[in-house]
Amino acid sequence: MKVVLYIGHHKVGSTALQDFLARNWKGLAQAGILYPNVEAHGAAGNMFQLLKGDLPDAALPVHIREPHSALAYRMIADVSKRPIPKQFQGLPATRQMLRAIRTQVDLLEPNTVILCSEAFANYGQVNPELVDRLIKPFEGAEFQIYCALRRPDEYVTSWHGQRLKVGEKATPLSAGGLKDYFGGIHFDYRQVVEAWIDRVPNAKISIRNYADVLGAGGSAEDFMGQTGLAMPDPMIPARRANESLPLAAYPIMEKAVHKLEQPAIFKLSRYLQNQGAKLIDVNNRDVEVLGADQRQKLWDEFVPVSDYLRKYAATGKEFFPDIDKVKEARPVPADEAAAALVKAIDVSKLQNEQAADFVRDLAGR
């Protein structure tokens, strides 16, 4: 049996891949490829496909879409003080979840098992022994480790936006917030991959540049190509499942998370995710949220990580061939783009008076 371990990273299309695997659970299982559930919510999604057909076209419940994130966060909580995210509250014990996977393997006898979660990227930093516990039920299997990594300036920018999107308080990257990411998995990619490579015996290693993932057509397409699995035909296409804030919205949300209550933050964030990029004539890729000084610091800090990743690149090449672009600032400062965006916001569409008053104050209306 082959076990494919998708270990992340964050912000590289993992949610779309999980959506793809969940929607195609029945077809994959019939082809000998198991994307196992770990508790009752996920099992209900599988049962729906068996009895009724395709899952609804709307966004899937997180337990159905991301069963192994539930498992990962449960395991992390077992060995650390990190809380389980609220969307995964009420989980069974780790041993029960692992037993559920093993039972499915024993009964269905798949040729391949896929365990897929960006939260697995945390194991090396939290406690590398989590890797041992996860793979123990698959002793004797053939393993493949798949991980996608994004150029650090683009990754840090994207992850910072993810934090703002859900209402976390985050210091602007250009004002010292960048240093908050140094030393952890959101910057030191060695912490993401090394424990897995060291602890999974004789695994095939697929460490991918996110730019190449996009070139292959996206996370699902690249994953299928790298694993070489004989997928059934037809397959239900992956859905885009994790909308992002436009970069012009970052300065707005950096203020909002300190001044607004959670309902207002949520309404403003949802509005900016859905409408922000449409309101101003500025290309998202032209907006600069780091600044030249912080880009130089990022470059200096990333050198040892870049040296480590070189072993997973073509001989004599950098893992990120365009790594020099880390030092290149984009032409439109984020504050300038944000000012234009604030003026363009229709406060009547925010559906929250506190959020509307906040935007009016920013715009000087």
Side-chain angles (χ1 to χ4, degrees):
M1 186 176 69
K2 179 176 182 177
V3 178
V4 181
L5 301 164
Y6 178 103
I7 64 169
H9 203 246
H10 298 266
K11 306 306 292 180
V12 292
S14 57
T15 306
L17 175 59
Q18 290 159 334
D19 183 271
F20 172 78
L21 294 170
R23 290 185 187 279
N24 289 285
W25 180 88
K26 178 182 175 182
L28 290 170
Q30 290 172 332
I33 302 169
L34 179 63
Y35 182 57
N37 62 71
V38 297
E39 43 74 70
H41 291 87
N46 299 348
M47 191 178 299
F48 184 97
Q49 292 188 55
L50 289 170
L51 298 178
K52 290 192 172 184
D54 295 346
L55 290 166
D57 195 52
L60 296 178
V62 68
H63 289 77
I64 294 175
R65 186 182 66 211
E66 304 176 33
H68 309 142
S69 290
L71 172 63
Y73 286 120
R74 171 74 271 177
M75 293 178 72
I76 289 168
D78 289 345
V79 298
S80 73
K81 295 181 180 180
R82 297 191 185 191
I84 296 173
K86 62 181 180 180
Q87 66 267 34
F88 292 115
Q89 293 294 320
L91 295 173
T94 295
R95 64 181 181 277
Q96 292 174 266
M97 300 168 88
L98 292 175
R99 188 183 300 129
I101 293 175
R102 188 66 240 183
T103 300
Q104 292 164 76
V105 170
D106 291 342
L107 292 175
L108 298 177
E109 298 182 332
N111 56 58
T112 303
V113 175
I114 298 173
L115 301 181
C116 174
S117 175
E118 68 278 13
F120 290 147
N122 293 274
Y123 278 13
Q125 182 181 42
V126 173
N127 188 332
E129 291 181 1
L130 291 171
V131 176
D132 305 334
R133 188 175 187 190
L134 182 68
I135 68 172
K136 185 177 180 180
F138 306 102
E139 187 174 355
E142 172 191 344
F143 289 98
Q144 180 172 357
I145 297 168
Y146 176 104
C147 181
L149 300 173
R150 198 167 179 174
R151 204 179 74 201
D153 57 323
E154 295 182 345
Y155 176 81
V156 168
T157 297
S158 184
W159 182 249
H160 187 75
Q162 179 73 15
R163 293 179 62 203
L164 293 170
K165 168 184 160 180
V166 300
E168 285 190 32
K169 292 179 172 61
T171 303
L173 294 172
S174 60
L178 177 63
K179 70 178 185 301
D180 295 340
Y181 301 102
F182 296 160
I185 65 161
H186 299 298
F187 188 82
D188 184 357
Y189 297 159
R190 183 170 185 167
Q191 293 185 36
V192 175
V193 301
E194 189 169 45
W196 291 90
I197 293 169
D198 289 349
R199 290 174 176 266
V200 182
N202 303 313
K204 177 182 177 182
I205 310 299
S206 299
I207 309 298
R208 302 284 291 156
N209 181 347
Y210 183 56
D212 294 332
V213 172
L214 295 178
S219 56
E221 291 81 0
D222 191 72
F223 180 79
M224 289 187 291
Q226 290 296 307
T227 55
L229 299 178
M231 296 287 184
D233 187 33
M235 297 287 282
I236 301 169
R239 268 67 165 178
R240 181 174 175 81
N242 192 2
E243 294 295 334
S244 300
L245 287 169
L247 300 186
Y250 283 24
I252 300 170
M253 291 302 300
E254 284 162 351
K255 296 180 178 70
V257 295
H258 288 280
K259 294 187 176 181
L260 300 180
E261 297 172 358
Q262 187 55 50
I265 293 172
F266 175 78
K267 290 293 186 182
L268 179 59
S269 177
R270 289 299 301 168
Y271 176 85
L272 293 172
Q273 290 168 56
N274 294 330
Q275 303 298 324
K278 305 172 187 176
L279 296 177
I280 57 174
D281 189 23
V282 177
N283 190 301
N284 200 50
R285 294 196 62 83
D286 289 336
V287 177
E288 178 58 39
V289 298
L290 282 159
D293 289 346
Q294 296 303 307
R295 283 184 172 276
Q296 183 62 51
K297 289 182 180 178
L298 188 153
W299 170 271
D300 294 340
E301 291 287 335
F302 196 72
V303 167
V305 183
S306 190
D307 290 343
Y308 173 78
L309 290 176
R310 214 171 275 127
K311 68 178 74 174
Y312 301 108
T315 303
K317 303 289 185 180
E318 292 282 357
F319 182 82
F320 298 108
D322 59 349
I323 191 67
D324 285 348
K325 290 186 177 180
V326 164
K327 294 184 286 186
E328 296 179 7
R330 298 173 181 181
V332 182
D335 287 341
E336 180 182 317
L341 178 54
V342 165
K343 292 178 181 178
I345 292 174
D346 183 350
V347 294
S348 68
K349 301 289 181 63
L350 294 177
Q351 301 179 336
N352 181 283
E353 194 55 37
Q354 187 189 30
D357 288 342
F358 169 76
V359 172
R360 290 189 191 99
D361 287 344
L362 286 182
R365 299 178 191 177

